[in-house]
Amino acid sequence: QQQVKQSPQSLIVQKGGIPIINCAYENTAFDYFPWYQQFPGKGPALLIAIRPDVSEKKEGRFTISFNKSAKQFSLHIMDSQPGDSATYFCAASPITGGGNKLTFGTGTQLKVEL
Amino acid sequence: NAGVTQTPKFRILKIGQSMTLQCAQDMNHNYMYWYRQDPGMGLKLIYYSVGAGITDKGEVPNGYNVSRSTTEDFPLRLELAAPSQTSVYFCASGLRGGGDEQFFGPGTRLTVL
């Protein structure tokens, strides 16, 4: 049973556009929602994360929007650049219970064209 | 700091062979994880450890074993390799548990033929 659903699978935007990647979760015990960025041939790296006590978090050009009642969260990339071309994974885990066992979405391959 | 290191980078195994994927971290992190990444499937947790001597199963542990004798090292053992274990394997570590950043290694690409 997939517990974190991510869409779209791939996305192409023009430079300066605002790609939006969406995730939905089922497990109400999840209370930590990170986004990881992965470049080809590399391991994922944490981009930004949010906890459900806030509805939005911004770090530079990256923003997470969180809707607890709908059990959905999304990543927005403002003024996207070709260097943002990568695969993005949403994830979720319960903060308590030990281990920080992340459940990942299936990933979105983003391409930013000039 | 080297961060999280993994060896080997690539490996081809024959069906039924065994091997150990090595993972080490020099950040004195308590938590360590093994994931596998398959195309279009995201990352799936295989095993994790909350400290030396303590390991537990993740979502997809069948066909794998781990040990954690030191804080630094967390090897993943594949016994009787099968084609279904063809994947990219990532090791990760974190200082704390829930809600903390995980730092990933560069991965090991394994092919079982």
Side-chain angles (χ1 to χ4, degrees):
Chain A
Q1 178 187 4
Q2 183 186 7
Q3 292 185 302
V4 179
K5 295 184 179 180
Q6 183 172 346
S7 64
Q9 188 175 0
S10 62
L11 191 53
I12 300 174
V13 299
Q14 297 298 307
K15 179 176 178 290
I18 306 175
I20 300 172
I21 304 170
N22 300 299
C23 285
Y25 63 98
E26 300 164 2
N27 189 343
T28 54
F30 289 157
D31 50 7
Y32 171 66
F33 304 91
W35 286 87
Y36 279 79
Q37 180 188 55
Q38 185 180 31
F39 293 103
K42 305 291 186 183
L46 179 67
L47 187 63
I48 186 173
I50 196 168
R51 300 190 183 192
D53 52 340
V54 295
S55 61
E56 186 177 277
K57 183 175 181 180
K58 291 184 181 180
E59 286 187 6
R61 296 183 294 107
F62 301 92
T63 299
I64 300 179
S65 297
F66 184 80
N67 185 328
K68 187 174 182 178
S69 61
K71 291 187 285 188
Q72 294 175 348
F73 58 110
S74 60
L75 176 70
H76 302 232
I77 305 176
M78 310 302 288
D79 187 27
S80 58
Q81 302 296 314
D84 297 329
S85 298
T87 300
Y88 293 81
F89 293 96
C90 62
S93 74
I95 291 179
T96 57
N100 194 21
K101 294 181 287 183
L102 290 172
T103 298
F104 282 87
T106 51
T108 297
Q109 206 163 9
L110 172 66
K111 184 175 182 181
V112 181
E113 295 181 334
L114 287 169
Chain B
N1 283 352
V4 179
T5 57
Q6 293 183 239
T7 56
K9 284 187 168 55
F10 305 94
R11 183 72 185 268
I12 298 175
L13 281 183
K14 294 182 179 178
I15 294 172
Q17 287 185 321
S18 300
M19 77 163 293
T20 299
L21 280 65
Q22 301 292 342
C23 173
Q25 53 91 10
D26 62 358
M27 298 175 281
N28 202 30
H29 285 172
N30 293 317
Y31 294 80
M32 295 189 75
Y33 310 84
W34 274 105
Y35 294 90
R36 60 176 289 171
Q37 183 177 30
D38 301 301
M41 297 295 292
L43 291 93
K44 302 283 188 186
L45 182 65
I46 305 172
Y47 271 95
Y48 69 101
S49 169
V50 301
I54 306 170
T55 63
D56 204 351
K57 296 177 181 178
E59 186 180 353
V60 290
N62 291 346
Y64 307 94
N65 276 300
V66 293
S67 58
R68 183 99 181 268
S69 56
T70 67
T71 299
E72 294 78 20
D73 301 296
F74 190 40
L76 177 71
R77 178 81 177 162
L78 278 72
E79 304 281 0
L80 299 174
S84 62
Q85 293 178 305
T86 294
S87 188
V88 180
Y89 292 85
F90 288 100
C91 178
S93 72
L95 180 60
R96 293 174 291 270
D100 195 30
E101 179 176 3
Q102 292 185 19
F103 295 83
F104 283 77
T108 294
R109 183 174 293 275
L110 175 67
T111 302
V112 182
L113 300 174

